[in-house]
């Protein structure tokens, strides 16, 4: 395999990791944002959160691996992107930290105020990254102010507020609306009773908002920033899959609605990557400072080595993660939550194994 | 303070903090797996109650380890972008492998373990905790391989065209002696921490008369873990010291505050002197001990800071090549001393609880709840020693810390993120400690009712665990 081929494989693999992340943590974010909307009492709130319980942490690892893979395969991209988007990433980090502990700590105590505070934390900390990932990706596709420094490295010379341009904000609202709908579709599939009914209804409403935003954002991206006409294809597929999602949701075919919704998330990522290719971070100031899969990559040795690692481990990971979803495939209902108002740490008797 | 200082403080604070949860997770997941295995094989319900109880403590802790870990991976790029460019070709690989081979494993299977009590057969459920435990250890291996490259870079070549270090031999990075000894030293110290935690919690509950039957069993698990780990820490630490003298002699010289090359070199238990080593006011020395630690020979020669400084100036050009000696000196002693206290405490507790005795001294109760702080402090001191002892280098002999920081990082941004993360971490620490104390006070479940595992059970069945 030549270096160029390996670079192509790795941009493909990184796209796959982001697809995994958007598909999986996308619904986690949506569920978090919708918590106050779809759950009206304590047992319902706990039911909603328990749908994420066994999987949210594994879902988040897709982000960690995407970050690690970018570091390993395209270190220049990793360095420029992460240092350039410092404050945006800090906000995302704070949100992910708060959200993770909120899931784990919330039900440990029965105190109403305690739970109320963690509920707010979950909603806000799901909202923020759902919005900011869209803002970040939109900025990458649009291009950011990069300049070559004395050592010939591309450096971000803008600031945090440069990232908050109208185009990127529409990108952020698009991912937010898509994730919220994806989360609602997931909840409709995974719950019974009132939550299921509400989630179905919410998905129909936010799904339309997402459709409008996605069409505006998609066309704007395609017409203004795409490097490749082929990116029309994932865009079209995303639209078709989304229409199918809305239709299936309306028909109450929750399994199919989730599948098509997941396809949409995947196609959105693929669309963004095909718009960029072969760039990974274009410069708005100096074409020489634009990072591409060629000038940002690792050496042939590292890429080849990492290819083998990915070939061996990725299928294994996919198998056991899929198995987890199979194990926890059943719908949940609020009646299954024992003593919903009691703190988990305050129960002296464990019931059943 | 400039952006560089702030970025260093942030890395130090976030890493030491992260590594309070990591050793507890690595050690405790293994010990819980042992307890569950004991239940699986004997059917003794006491082991099941122990598994449930320490499992709770594990989960509270695991959550903190996971979320603070994300910061670690991101801040290399955020705050240390020039470092990331320079070593990305090498350093990124173990990080990516860590994610793919271990993070997925530990998080997915821990999720299965937590929520899968009534969904998986007993054997399969037991397997999930073992896989999660293996995942945490694999993760430690890969990240320590990356760290060992910073301590002793191997398997690379410097490319003058790209101006970066490039990977030549991944096998050497993964399996160099620095990586292997560091891994075993770290893992054994994780068991020292977790063993002490299990021991302390068990003793405290026993003394309060709670679930004494269960706690007596887990007390033994804790004591055995501490004693085996204690021996392991000493031997692996000894091996590491000998390697360190070869690879980073300056760190060893700073650990002793040894300014002049000596044969034999003493080891001071306590020393007061001027920072530049020109005057020594007071010290308690053990003759020849440093020579023995460094070379295995009581009369062996150990190089001093002044000679090494001259050597490095000739090799790398003008500059200060010594770390901040007082910090390195005391961190080294804190590491050894605090670890030793944990081992001695375990021996003492074993003596006081043998033949079914339950001690009742008030001070011992306090010691029981706080004893985990000693090995935790020791492990933090160990990291501070090894990282500060490497200064001024970020990658020994290749890149200085000052050259690794992100050139785009402004003082304001660095300050915002340092303050944000420190305050957030502080608040979370208070919450986490509150929950742990609460969980410990309640103790193990008094009964665990067993229902048959039935994968096809009706949807309506009550969950064994829910958020």
């Amino acid at each position: 395999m030549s270096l160029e081929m390996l670079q192509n494989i790795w941009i493909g693999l990184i796209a796959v990791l982001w697809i995994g992340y958007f598909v999986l943590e996308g619904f986690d974010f949506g569920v978090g944002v919708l918590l106050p909307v779809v759950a009206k009492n304590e047992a319902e709130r706990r039911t909603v959160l328990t749908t994420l319980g066994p999987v949210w942490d594994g879902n988040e690892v897709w982000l960690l691996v995407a970050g690690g893979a970018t570091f390993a395969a395209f270190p220049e991209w990793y360095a420029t992107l992460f240092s350039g988007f410092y404050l945006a990433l800090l906000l995302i980090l704070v949100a992910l930290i708060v959200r993770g502990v909120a899931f784990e700590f919330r039900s440990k105590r029965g105190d109403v105020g305690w739970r109320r505070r963690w509920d707010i934390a979950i909603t806000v900390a799901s909202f923020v990254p759902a919005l900011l990932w869209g803002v970040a990706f939109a900025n990458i596709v649009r291009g950011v102010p990069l300049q070559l420094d004395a050592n010939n490295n591309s450096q971000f010379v803008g600031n945090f507020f440069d990232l908050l341009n109208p185009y990127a904000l529409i990108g952020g609202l698009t991912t937010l609306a898509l994730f919220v709908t994806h989360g609602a579709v997931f909840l409709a599939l995974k719950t019974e009773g009132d939550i299921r009914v509400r989630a179905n209804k919410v998905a129909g409403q936010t799904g339309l908002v997402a459709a409008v935003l996605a069409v505006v954002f998609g066309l704007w991206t395609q017409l203004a920033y795409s490097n490749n006409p082929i990116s029309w294809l994932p865009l079209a597929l995303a639209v078709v899959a989304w229409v199918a999602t809305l239709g299936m949701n309306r028909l109450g075919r929750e399994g199919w609605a989730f599948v098509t919704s997941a396809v949409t998330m995947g196609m959105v990522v693929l669309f963004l990557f095909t718009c960029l290719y072969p760039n990974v971070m274009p410069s708005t100031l100096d074409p020489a400072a634009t990072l591409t899969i060629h000038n940002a990559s690792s050496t042939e040795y590292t890429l080849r080595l990492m290819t083998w690692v990915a070939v061996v481990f990725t299928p294994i990971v996919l198998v056991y993660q899929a198995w987890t979803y199979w194990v926890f495939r059943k719908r949940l209902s609020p009646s299954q939550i024992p003593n919903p108002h009691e703190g988990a740490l305050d129960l002296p008797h464990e019931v059943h194994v | 303070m400039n952006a560089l200082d702030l970025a260093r403080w942030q890395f130090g604070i976030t890493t030491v903090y992260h590594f309070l949860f990591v050793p507890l997770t690595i050690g405790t997941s293994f010990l819980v797996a042992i307890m569950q295995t004991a239940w699986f094989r004997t059917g003794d319900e006491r082991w099941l109650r122990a598994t449930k109880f320490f499992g709770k403590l594990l989960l509270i802790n695991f959550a903190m380890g996971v979320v603070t870990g994300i910061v670690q991976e991101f801040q290399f790029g955020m705050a240390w972008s020039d470092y990331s460019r320079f070593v990305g070709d090498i350093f990124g690989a173990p990080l990516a492998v860590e994610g793919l081979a271990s993070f997925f494993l530990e998080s997915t299977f821990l999720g299965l373990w937590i929520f899968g009590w009534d969904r998986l057969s007993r054997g399969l459920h037991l397997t999930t905790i073992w896989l999660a435990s293996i995942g945490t250890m694999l993760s430690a291996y890969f990240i320590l391989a990356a760290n060992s490259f910073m301590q002793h870079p191997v398997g690379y070549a410097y490319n003058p065209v790209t101006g970066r270090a490039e990977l030549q031999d991944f096998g050497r990075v993964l399996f160099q002696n620095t990586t292997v000894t560091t891994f075993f030293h770290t893992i054994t110290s994780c068991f020292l921490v977790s063993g002490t935690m299990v021991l302390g919690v068990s003793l405290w509950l026993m003394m309060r008369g709670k679930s004494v039957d269960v706690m007596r069993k887990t007390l033994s698990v804790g004591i055995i873990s501490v004693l085996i780990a204690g021996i392991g820490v000493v031997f692996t630490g000894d091996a590491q010291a000998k390697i360190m003298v070869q690879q980073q002699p300056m760190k060893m010289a700073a650990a002793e505050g040894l300014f002049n090359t000596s044969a034999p070199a003493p080891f001071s238990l306590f020393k007061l002197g001027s920072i530049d080593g020109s005057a020594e006011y007071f010290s308690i020395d053990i003759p020849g001990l440093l020579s023995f630690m460094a070379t295995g020979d009581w009369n062996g020669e150990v190089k001093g800071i002044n000679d090494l400084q001259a050597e490095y100036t000739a090799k790398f050009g003008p500059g200060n090549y010594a770390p901040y000696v007082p910090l390195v000196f005391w961190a080294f002693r804190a590491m050894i001393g605090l670890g030793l206290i944990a081992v001695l405490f375990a021996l003492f507790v074993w003596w006081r609880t043998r033949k079914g005795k339950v001690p009742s001294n008030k001070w011992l109760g306090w010691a029981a709840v706080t004893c985990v702080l000693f090995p935790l402090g020791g492990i933090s001191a160990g990291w501070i020693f090894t990282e500060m002892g490497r200064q001024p280098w970020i990658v020994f002999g290749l890149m200085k810390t000052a050259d690794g920081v992100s050139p785009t990082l402004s003082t304001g941004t660095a300050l915002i993120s340092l303050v944000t993360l420190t305050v957030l971490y502080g608040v979370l620490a208070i919450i986490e400690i509150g929950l742990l104390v609460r969980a410990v006070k309640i103790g193990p479940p008094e009964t665990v009712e067993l229902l048959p595992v039935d994968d096809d059970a009706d949807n309506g069945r009550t969950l064994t665990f829910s958020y």
Side-chain angles (χ1 to χ4, degrees), chain A residues 78 104 330 336 345 352-353, chain B residues 442 449 451 455 459 467:
Chain A
Y78 171 78
E104 294 296 338
K330 297 222 165 89
Q336 290 175 273
L345 295 180
H352 38 196
V353 161
Chain B
I442 285 155
E449 188 190 330
L451 287 180
D455 195 40
N459 283 335
Y467 269 159

Side-chain angles (χ1 to χ4, degrees), chain A residues 348, chain B residues 49-50 53 56 205 210-211 214-215 439-440 442-447:
Chain B
R49 289 160 65 200
F53 174 59
K56 266 185 208 169
L205 283 167
K210 276 207 166 173
S211 298
V214 178
M215 291 297 103
V440 169
I442 285 155
E446 283 148 30
T447 51

Side-chain angles (χ1 to χ4, degrees), chain A residues 162-181:
Chain A
D162 290 344
L163 303 180
L164 303 179
N165 52 76
Y167 166 73
L169 289 173
I170 291 180
L173 291 174
T174 305
T175 52
L176 175 65
L178 286 171
F179 289 162
V180 167
T181 312

Side-chain angles (χ1 to χ4, degrees), chain B residues 80-104:
Chain B
W80 301 95
S81 65
D82 270 8
Y83 164 78
S84 302
R85 283 178 214 285
F86 183 69
V87 296
D89 195 59
I90 304 149
F91 194 85
L95 247 62
V97 179
E98 185 188 19
L100 211 48
S102 9
F103 289 161
F104 272 127

Side-chain angles (χ1 to χ4, degrees), chain A residues 90 152 174 186 214 221 231 240 265 277 319 325 332 345-346 352:
Chain A
L90 179 69
N152 231 17
T174 305
F186 173 78
T221 306
S231 57
V240 171
M265 302 302 129
Y277 182 89
V319 166
Y325 282 89
L332 297 174
L345 295 180
D346 303 336
H352 38 196

Side-chain angles (χ1 to χ4, degrees), chain A residues 94-254:
Chain A
V94 169
L96 294 181
I97 290 171
V98 170
R99 197 170 150 275
V101 292
F103 286 150
E104 294 296 338
F105 290 177
R106 182 190 183 280
S107 69
K108 296 284 184 274
R109 290 180 52 185
D111 182 346
V112 176
W114 163 273
R115 290 193 176 171
R116 192 78 213 106
R117 284 190 287 279
W118 286 123
D119 287 344
I120 296 168
I122 287 169
T123 300
V124 174
S126 299
F127 181 93
V128 169
L131 181 80
L132 286 183
W133 285 126
V135 172
F137 269 100
N139 274 297
I140 293 174
V141 172
R142 175 178 183 262
V144 285
L146 298 181
Q147 262 173 357
L148 291 175
D149 68 6
N151 300 319
N152 231 17
N153 294 326
S154 288
Q155 301 285 4
F156 180 80
V157 293
N159 64 47
F160 176 66
F161 296 99
D162 290 344
L163 303 180
L164 303 179
N165 52 76
Y167 166 73
L169 289 173
I170 291 180
L173 291 174
T174 305
T175 52
L176 175 65
L178 286 171
F179 289 162
V180 167
T181 312
H182 190 42
V185 168
F186 173 78
L187 274 177
L189 175 66
K190 291 292 297 178
T191 58
E192 263 327 351
D194 293 345
I195 304 172
R196 182 179 176 184
V197 174
R198 286 184 207 121
N200 180 276
K201 199 169 156 219
V202 169
Q205 292 162 346
T206 59
L208 286 176
V209 178
V212 173
L213 284 164
V215 167
V216 172
F217 177 69
L219 288 176
W220 190 341
T221 306
Q222 177 65 42
L223 297 174
Y225 305 116
S226 180
N227 292 328
N228 304 289
I230 188 82
S231 57
W232 279 110
L233 183 63
L235 179 60
L237 288 173
V239 171
V240 171
W242 197 245
V243 170
T245 306
L246 296 181
M248 290 298 164
N249 182 65
R250 196 162 194 140
L251 294 174
R253 301 289 298 271
E254 284 123 344

